[in-house]
Amino acid sequence: MRPLLLATLLACTDAHAATPWQNEAAAQIPPFAEQLLGTVRQAITEGGPIAAVQACQAVAPQIASEHSQHAWQVGRTSLKVRNPDNVPDAWERAVLERFASAAEAGTPVKELRHGEEVDGQYRYMQAIAVGEPCMACHGTAIKAEVQDAIDQYYPQDQARGYQVGELRGAFTLRRPIAQETP
């Protein structure tokens, strides 16, 4: 498929294209994202980027678990993971690769989202763009002491070398499909 056509298909989010499941999935992301970002910002304020690395390692999985207590399972994944628990499954990898192609073709990362029924579940992903707060731990100019902390907590880290606005990964959600619609 041509990159521009693919980008257009992936970015399509108008009311006609969105399903009730997609709308419900998308509504789960802001509170999850806000709590994650708030935790990172608080850690940076209180102890700098090293504290943020520690908070991400200790608290981010708990936050995902808290937001997964209802029908939706909520998480994050990437083609370049920091936490090995967030390695994408085959479906997530395929969507992330399409997101990467669309972003390279010029689609803004914040517009990339995809949902579909897969094996009795509704699955949804929404891209995450690298923001300025991410650069201290995910950018190209990471301080040596921060790199040491990352290496300590995430010895298999792949999530460095990003620029602001690039595709960092995606929120990934899933839920069983009931007979009735939401």
Side-chain angles (χ1 to χ4, degrees), residues 71 89 116 132-133 168:
D89 63 23
E116 68 179 294
E132 189 58 44
R168 167 66 188 95

Side-chain angles (χ1 to χ4, degrees), residues 23 88 91 176 181:
N23 292 334
W91 182 84
T181 58

